[in-house]
Amino acid sequence: MSIYQATASAPVNIACIKYWGKRDTKLILPTNSSLSVTLDQDHLRSTTTSRADPSFTKDRLWLNGKEEEINEGGRLATCIREMKRLRREVEDKEPNAPKLSTFPVHISSRNNFPTAAGLASSASGFAALVKSLATLYQLPAHPSQLSLIARQGSGSACRSLFGGYVAWEMGSKPDGSDSLAVEVAPQSHWPDLHALICVVSDDKKGTSSTSGMQQTVETSALLQHRIKHVVPERMEAIKKAILAKDFDSFARITMKDSNQFHAVCLDTEPPIFYMNDVSRSIIALIVEYNRVSVANGGGYKAAYTYDAGPNAVIYAPKENLKEIISLIVKYFPQAENFKDPFQLFGTQGVGAGGVVPGFNEAVAKTFPVGSVKSLIHTRVGDGPRVLSAEEGLLGQDGLPKVLA
Amino acid sequence: MSIYQATASAPVNIACIKYWGKRDTKLILPTNSSLSVTLDQDHLRSTTTSRADPSFTKDRLWLNGKEEEINEGGRLATCIREMKRLRREVEDKEPNAPKLSTFPVHISSRNNFPTAAGLASSASGFAALVKSLATLYQLPAHPSQLSLIARQGSGSACRSLFGGYVAWEMGSKPDGSDSLAVEVAPQSHWPDLHALICVVSDDKKGTSSTSGMQQTVETSALLQHRIKHVVPERMEAIKKAILAKDFDSFARITMKDSNQFHAVCLDTEPPIFYMNDVSRSIIALIVEYNRVSVANGGGYKAAYTYDAGPNAVIYAPKENLKEIISLIVKYFPQAENFKDPFQLFGTQGVGAGGVVPGFNEAVAKTFPVGSVKSLIHTRVGDGPRVLSAEEGLLGQDGLPKVLA
């Protein structure tokens, strides 16, 4: 008897033009388009194995080895149902195709980064889920079509169906059929864009993005202006910047949009704060780092962006990462040695860090060890990958493999 | 020979609808109207003595005993010149009036609160300056007319020419002659509105409000929407709330406008932050304090507002101050005993503070001693006061008295 199983991995993406607000909470249709950079799966990824088997009694899913409830009408159930529907279309056209759409599925998913890092794992997770089922079901679907389904799991997941530079076009149809991800440019177009993720410690439990964004939709007087008048222009401008590999424009738009996203959070009643004093100080460092470069006749050298939490993501051309890491380490001493995947620092490591000449060191204070818990250096990456059977996360018995 | 001298004191005011942005930086004409509550001079005030004497060689001014330069064309010089111009009008009409407008003046001004407290002293300072000169010159001027001159010293100073509840109407004329303060309601209309000022320690040197607001005017995509569409409505709504002594509406509008002011600061390029983690936590405490009240069928019990710095001002009806002070002291232990001007706590003092029943204590952590450096309990107060000769700050010699 055949085993019907497939394994795929999918990347994390970090938005430059932020998604904040739904016009339809069930279908997850956004109030504005957004744009992100897909990060390298070599560093951060979700991996998912799906198996269809008529002997299974029901659809089941394990996340990092722990079984999760698949609630009727919930987002997981919606994604699985939609994928089975696409499979049924295949079966209807090819009468000899096995009736996988009628089999229950077992799904095992793992993230290679700790949940405690505060990185949104729902985007990579739902993208990997959809990609593994699409592979299992041998769907002819284009990534944009799959993005329609991943979107219904977690809005920003739709953008993780592509590598490189990805737009989520908000669409206008009530059924959401035109609210999907499209590739603005592949990773290969501008491969030298790197990212440094600063994992920031926080005392305070933040507002979840799901409830936060609807509070903003309901109460912010500024959000509507952002949606109607600011984002459409910025989407066009940043696409142009990406196509021209114009980091200066990319950086300015990215920072402005991060600021404006947090501004509309603050304009919410009651106000929502995601950034803390550490986040603010990282902003001050990047602003000063860019100021020095501009004062010396250069352009912007780095761009910060913050999602619904205190973590900073700093985008920069590859050649600036050594300076940026030194800068961050100087103000935010690290408990552990910096993991240096691109071997920028050689055997002696980063050391105590330092600043570029002309940098005004007084723009921030030095924080206690642990204020930035860890640094992850990565770069723009490719889209979902289909993995080999050996990399599967389900054992012979159809249950998650126990990791060594 | 006569001594021509007058002494006046003027109050601090704290805005509920914020002034942020000038349409004319020289005349200090704002991009939107604003509204404030005048605080009690018994607790916070600037006192100014002005003397006109033909034997003086030039106009001179001392602030807290230290001489300040009166720069040609600067704001101080403008205010003195404008006051002399009004005096000349009096002299032109009354030929027997002494020609004080031709005499140089000596001016001595003191604040009864430390500059380090981070309270804007320019508002009370310029209001006291203008009031003392108006008294010296025996001008028949209405406070709104004086507010036109104080405005040219420091925008928000115009609102300190009245007690109670004060609007600064932005006006529309290019010469600024209709950009002045008006009384919305006197102190006596709603005397039970109290205020707790939380003086917050900050590591970071903030952006000055003068330069910050013009950065926002030049770069924020959201500010224009605020100016055109949000503030006009809020001005009307908060005036109504004040006239109706409707604290619930007053509180909601005040908090929303504080949030939106800080939101447009964040939407500035580069972003401006005035609030820090302490400020954020005070917001979380007030939000929770109001939530408990509303959950129990009551209304809002307190309203926070933040100017261009991390200090919180909490407005509340008098009867809630005991709870509010207890709440703040619990999370922000004080180095010194709370000065209790209204004798809320009796001889044993506040102690360790505490929360009302049903309060979720996890909304903030307890901060180290000194995070909130001090607490000032005050209330809505009256307008500028003319003081007696004995309270004058200039000695026989026309120089500042040395304080005992």
Side-chain angles (χ1 to χ4, degrees), chain A residues 203-204 221-222 225 230 252 256 259-260 263 266-267 269-271 273 275-277 280 283 287 304 365, chain B residues 203-204 221-222 225 230 252 256 259-260 263 266-267 269-271 273 275-277 280 283 287 304 365:
Chain A
D203 294 320
K204 174 178 157 288
L222 301 179
H225 184 78
V230 180
R252 286 189 63 176
K256 279 163 75 154
N259 296 338
Q260 188 168 90
L266 217 168
D267 191 49
E269 183 184 16
F273 294 90
M275 296 191 287
N276 62 20
D277 286 353
R280 288 168 60 197
I283 289 178
V287 167
Y304 58 79
K365 65 164 190 173
Chain B
D203 294 319
K204 174 179 156 288
L222 300 179
H225 185 78
V230 181
R252 285 190 64 175
K256 279 163 76 155
N259 296 337
Q260 189 169 89
L266 217 169
D267 191 49
E269 183 184 16
F273 294 91
M275 296 191 287
N276 62 21
D277 286 353
R280 288 168 61 197
I283 289 178
V287 167
Y304 58 79
K365 64 164 190 173

Side-chain angles (χ1 to χ4, degrees), chain B residues 67-96:
Chain B
E67 184 160 12
E68 300 279 316
E69 196 78 43
I70 301 177
N71 295 308
E72 182 112 18
R75 294 172 170 198
L76 267 173
T78 299
C79 286
I80 296 168
R81 185 196 66 220
E82 286 297 296
M83 293 304 290
K84 286 184 177 174
R85 186 180 57 73
L86 292 182
R87 170 65 189 179
R88 204 167 308 118
E89 290 178 10
V90 170
E91 294 166 7
D92 289 348
K93 281 183 206 146
E94 302 174 35
N96 296 328

Side-chain angles (χ1 to χ4, degrees), chain A residues 169-243:
Chain A
E169 302 294 354
M170 63 178 290
S172 59
K173 295 187 185 166
D175 69 354
S177 59
D178 58 351
S179 184
L180 44 72
V182 297
E183 183 188 86
V184 173
Q187 172 196 23
S188 58
H189 165 72
W190 193 9
D192 276 355
L193 190 80
H194 278 225
L196 183 71
I197 302 171
C198 306
V199 180
V200 173
S201 183
D202 202 14
D203 294 320
K204 174 178 157 288
K205 218 184 117 212
T207 309
S208 86
S209 58
T210 300
S211 68
M213 64 174 78
Q214 289 319 101
Q215 288 173 39
T216 303
V217 169
E218 286 159 23
T219 65
S220 168
L222 301 179
L223 181 70
Q224 293 307 318
H225 184 78
R226 164 173 168 73
I227 290 169
K228 280 186 211 132
H229 302 289
V230 180
V231 172
E233 223 173 84
R234 280 191 188 160
M235 283 293 291
E236 291 316 302
I238 199 166
K239 284 177 190 173
K240 242 189 231 172
I242 289 165
L243 293 175

